[in-house]
Amino acid sequence: MVRTPLTPEERERGERLGRLLREARGGRSMTEIAASAGISAETLRKIETGRAPTPAFFTVAALAGVLELSMDDLAGQCVLVPL
């Protein structure tokens, strides 16, 4: 299966999601948060750095739960506003 290239907007949304998750993690270790969410630290690293700009819904939901973030707020903050 060939994956369609991401648009610049999708990449920006992924980078924004990564920043929000990294900020919410604060001083807690990446390993601790990843383990609590049931994902690998490498997966979390890729999401936080924007290298995985379209993580699975359940991955984002698990991270949001561990970081005590509202999925509605997270989605709202990742919406790109046209210039």
Side-chain angles (χ1 to χ4, degrees), residues 4-75:
T4 306
L6 298 175
T7 65
E9 292 80 16
E10 290 169 323
R11 289 194 179 284
E12 171 59 31
R13 203 171 33 240
E15 290 170 4
R16 189 174 294 180
L17 173 63
R19 281 192 303 273
L20 291 168
L21 294 174
R22 190 170 45 254
E23 289 169 7
R25 182 168 57 86
R28 294 177 281 183
S29 79
M30 190 176 287
T31 305
E32 170 193 345
I33 298 303
S36 296
I39 63 173
S40 71
E42 182 59 23
T43 297
L44 180 54
R45 181 176 294 109
K46 286 178 181 178
I47 294 169
E48 285 188 357
T49 60
R51 290 186 328 186
T54 58
F57 173 82
F58 293 104
T59 299
V60 176
L63 288 167
V66 169
L67 296 169
E68 299 179 357
L69 297 170
S70 159
M71 287 291 286
D72 288 335
D73 290 343
L74 201 55

